[in-house]
Amino acid sequence: IDSVSTVIVSPSMSGQFAIPVVFSEEVSLSGWVPVSPVSLSSHKLSEYQALQLPVLAVYGENDRQFRGQVEEYLGTIPKVTMKMIPEGSHPCYLDNPDMWHQSLLQFLGSLK
């Protein structure tokens, strides 16, 4: 794959597969869109703080299980845009698909 123009979108459980790729030195990505991903604690806060990748971190306001981890870990990434979906649950893109699509398209457009 042409990893230079690749953006990984990783909702929920796919985080366990995407996070190792994001931190891999063998892959160069254009961006990452984690959506309330699991496995954030598989890497240290200092690793997130050092990540130089544009990130759109999306999570639901009512996602009690993962919201705190998204804010704690992903909120430390220097090039992060945090997007909370109001009244969103864990699969927040289903609760407000228009906001999800608008945010995703805006982020992707900013990478050009």
Side-chain angles (χ1 to χ4, degrees):
I1 63 173
D2 177 11
S3 63
V4 174
S5 61
T6 300
V7 175
I8 293 181
V9 179
S10 59
S12 192
M13 292 298 288
S14 64
Q16 65 186 340
F17 306 106
I19 291 170
V21 174
V22 168
F23 284 100
S24 170
E25 294 181 11
E26 298 174 16
V27 178
S28 178
L29 301 170
S30 291
W32 178 33
V33 184
V35 184
S36 294
V38 302
S39 300
L40 289 174
S41 61
S42 65
H43 287 267
K44 298 176 185 173
L45 275 174
S46 60
E47 293 176 277
Y48 288 96
Q49 293 165 347
L51 190 61
Q52 294 300 312
L53 181 67
V55 174
L56 172 62
V58 183
Y59 60 100
E61 178 182 25
N62 297 330
D63 185 355
R64 305 245 185 272
Q65 186 173 3
F66 293 102
R67 178 181 173 178
Q69 288 184 13
V70 168
E71 294 172 339
E72 178 183 0
Y73 286 91
L74 301 181
T76 66
I77 297 172
K79 297 179 183 178
V80 69
T81 299
M82 301 292 286
K83 185 64 176 183
M84 181 185 65
I85 304 292
E87 299 182 22
S89 59
H90 181 64
C92 56
Y93 47 88
L94 297 176
D95 298 313
N96 192 334
D98 290 337
M99 182 179 282
W100 156 247
H101 287 120
Q102 182 180 37
S103 299
L104 179 61
L105 291 172
Q106 183 177 4
F107 176 72
L108 294 173
S110 74
L111 301 177
K112 294 179 181 179

